[in-house]
Amino acid sequence: SSSSSSSSSSSSHCLGLPEERAIVQLAHDLDMVTIAMSASPSFGKCWKQKDGPRIAAVLQHFTNQHFVSNPIPTFALGASSGGYFVSSILPQAMQQVARQH
């Protein structure tokens, strides 16, 4: 499979909830790439407006490094502040990053 994943820790206590692991496994079964990101603990572990450009830049860099000749669709999931982040903040930030390149 051509999929990969990234996490902030490889220790067994940081594997995520069963439903999160099921989503990642399904994505990998469909040959999708998964990237997991968490809000900064210094901000109360809630996503903020200022996180948008930082995360958009990371995603753009990853895409440029691995999929520049064959762009791929991007999907994002989030709960609580993460849901607002992926539905409102991140799309705006991604548009701004795309205009800069």
Side-chain angles (χ1 to χ4, degrees), residues 48-83:
K48 306 288 189 222
Q49 186 76 31
K50 62 183 170 183
D51 291 321
R54 180 176 57 88
I55 299 302
V58 168
L59 293 173
Q60 184 68 45
H61 177 77
F62 181 84
T63 299
N64 289 345
Q65 292 295 310
H66 300 282
F67 299 101
V68 70
S69 63
N70 188 21
I72 60 170
T74 302
F75 304 93
L77 299 172
S80 192
S81 70

Side-chain angles (χ1 to χ4, degrees), residues 1-7 23-36 62-63 65-67 72:
S1 171
S2 63
S3 58
S4 66
S5 64
S6 174
S7 68
I23 291 168
V24 170
Q25 185 59 54
L26 177 61
H28 288 183
D29 290 348
L30 295 171
D31 287 331
M32 296 174 133
V33 175
T34 58
I35 301 173
F62 181 84
T63 299
Q65 292 295 310
H66 300 282
F67 299 101
I72 60 170

Side-chain angles (χ1 to χ4, degrees), residues 40-52:
S40 173
S42 62
F43 300 121
K45 295 205 64 127
C46 288
W47 292 100
K48 306 288 189 222
Q49 186 76 31
K50 62 183 170 183
D51 291 321

